Amino acid sequence: MKIITGNANKPLAEDIASFLDTEMTQCAVKRFNDKEIFVEIFENVRGEDVFAIQPTSYPANDNLLELLIMIDALKRASARRITTVIPYFGYARQDRKSGSRTPISAKLVANLITTAGANRIMTIDLHAGQIQGFFDIPADNLSCRPVFLKDIREKHNIDNVVIVSPDVGGVVRARSIAKKLEVPLAIIDKRRDNPGESEVMNIIGDVAGKTCIIIDDIVDSGGTLCSAAYALKEKGATEVKAYISHGVLPADSYKKIDESCLEELVISDSIEPKQEILQSKKIRILSIAPLIARAIKRTNSEESVSSLFL
């Protein structure tokens, strides 16, 4: 087995290699003067089971192209099997036609990865589960759920917790957490009555006097999340926290989080956090390296990874 990574999230890849008790495969990802990407692998990978770890986070296009070129280099070096481990699958929010003459970019990216020569995909909490069907190769969609469940049980009084879905589309994800914890579920119904007007949020469920934990897959600028926290507080929630799989979070977004009524935002390290995010008073990061390492080990030994979805 070989572990290789590009520039997108080296700390996560190194942590995964450490859990697997193996060394990172040495390679170089360089840029020519015109920013053209060049990948060179310094170790023999012929006949090896190779796991290429690379989230397609910011800058999404550069990191995606690094991954594609890395796959091509591994294929031409006669790797036996190439599994692309994409902790954060960029372009996943473009999983359908949102209007006339718009692309389905998630399908395009899936085609690119498959055509480049990947034999298998491993990712975490896809924005929409059906994206697995965009790939013509096996695709494992792992979940941060086990990591979040463990942390919620350790940090909170479960008897006073309500799990909250920030919108109707995220109900399945939030319900699975609520079911495991055996706690109630609430849903935020948000809409704009007129273009340009702020969102009107209605809370479906009883949150008064409760600790509300919002569950979602992606937090971007954090604006909607902060508005949701305010709406829950208005309905009597004693405190509001959020567990989000992928923290896209632009560098200055921590200010919005720190100044909001949200008590805490917990994210995974699927995307390498910027220094400003690490300095935030309210943002905490959980490692998913052990989860991915277990999935890689089972894939390498041809064992089932289905228990990691539970």
Side-chain angles (χ1 to χ4, degrees):
M1 176 172 56
K2 296 283 188 181
I3 304 294
I4 193 169
T5 187
N7 294 318
N9 196 344
K10 284 186 176 181
L12 176 61
E14 289 165 357
D15 287 346
I16 292 169
S18 177
F19 275 102
L20 291 168
D21 195 25
T22 188
E23 297 292 327
M24 294 289 300
T25 298
Q26 296 301 307
C27 71
V29 182
K30 303 175 183 177
R31 299 288 193 282
F32 293 127
N33 288 332
D34 59 357
K35 302 303 178 184
E36 182 181 321
I37 297 169
F38 173 72
V39 174
E40 184 175 7
I41 301 166
F42 298 130
E43 298 180 28
N44 179 26
V45 296
R46 182 180 294 271
E48 296 280 1
D49 192 8
V50 183
F51 294 83
I53 302 171
Q54 178 88 336
T56 53
S57 49
Y58 176 86
N61 299 333
D62 281 8
N63 287 331
L64 174 60
L65 203 55
E66 276 188 18
L67 176 62
L68 296 175
I69 295 173
M70 195 185 310
I71 293 168
D72 187 73
L74 290 167
K75 183 177 68 173
R76 294 176 189 281
S78 300
R80 177 172 58 86
R81 181 172 65 179
I82 303 167
T83 300
T84 56
V85 181
I86 310 175
Y88 170 70
F89 185 78
Y91 287 97
R93 287 175 280 187
Q94 299 184 51
D95 63 324
R96 64 194 185 282
K97 288 195 69 170
S98 57
S100 301
R101 296 171 296 282
T102 58
I104 304 178
S105 302
K107 172 59 177 170
L108 171 62
V109 172
N111 288 345
L112 289 170
I113 292 169
T114 304
T115 302
N119 302 113
R120 190 178 196 94
I121 301 293
M122 187 182 296
T123 187
I124 300 279
D125 281 332
L126 283 169
H127 184 62
Q130 65 265 24
I131 293 174
Q132 287 177 277
F134 291 180
F135 291 94
D136 295 325
I137 54 177
D140 291 324
N141 181 25
L142 303 177
S143 174
C144 288
R145 187 168 53 217
V147 179
F148 287 171
L149 283 169
K150 181 175 183 292
D151 192 76
I152 291 170
R153 289 190 175 109
E154 290 175 354
K155 302 287 185 182
H156 301 89
N157 175 15
I158 299 301
D159 294 336
N160 197 46
V161 163
V162 174
I163 299 298
V164 180
S165 172
D167 51 43
V168 175
V171 168
V172 173
R173 184 181 296 107
R175 184 185 287 124
S176 66
I177 296 277
K179 186 176 180 181
K180 285 288 184 181
L181 294 173
E182 298 182 337
V183 301
L185 174 70
I187 303 168
I188 297 176
D189 172 37
K190 58 186 180 183
R191 61 187 183 277
R192 286 184 172 90
D193 284 347
N194 295 298
E197 290 185 1
S198 60
E199 289 178 341
V200 177
M201 294 196 178
N202 298 314
I203 311 299
I204 303 170
D206 182 17
V207 299
K210 301 288 188 178
T211 295
C212 292
I213 298 179
I214 300 171
I215 302 293
D216 207 357
D217 63 320
I218 297 174
V219 55
D220 200 321
S221 64
T224 301
L225 182 63
C226 294
S227 298
Y230 178 78
L232 290 166
K233 283 291 185 75
E234 285 280 286
K235 291 294 184 179
T238 54
E239 60 178 357
V240 181
K241 300 185 178 183
Y243 282 72
I244 313 291
S245 302
H246 309 296
V248 176
L249 296 173
D252 60 348
S253 60
Y254 77 96
K255 296 177 183 176
K256 192 177 295 180
I257 302 295
D258 286 350
E259 293 168 2
S260 73
C261 61
L262 191 71
E263 270 75 25
E264 185 179 46
L265 168 60
V266 182
I267 58 175
S268 80
D269 57 351
S270 62
I271 298 172
E272 184 177 5
K274 302 175 180 65
Q275 194 59 39
E276 296 88 345
I277 302 301
L278 293 172
Q279 294 171 356
S280 168
K281 298 176 293 184
K282 293 187 177 182
I283 300 175
R284 183 161 58 91
I285 298 165
L286 295 178
S287 176
I288 54 172
L291 174 68
I292 296 175
R294 289 197 298 271
I296 287 175
K297 188 173 182 179
R298 293 185 183 199
T299 300
N300 174 249
S301 58
E302 303 295 346
E303 296 177 48
S304 170
V305 298
S306 60
S307 63
L308 300 178
F309 300 143
L310 303 178

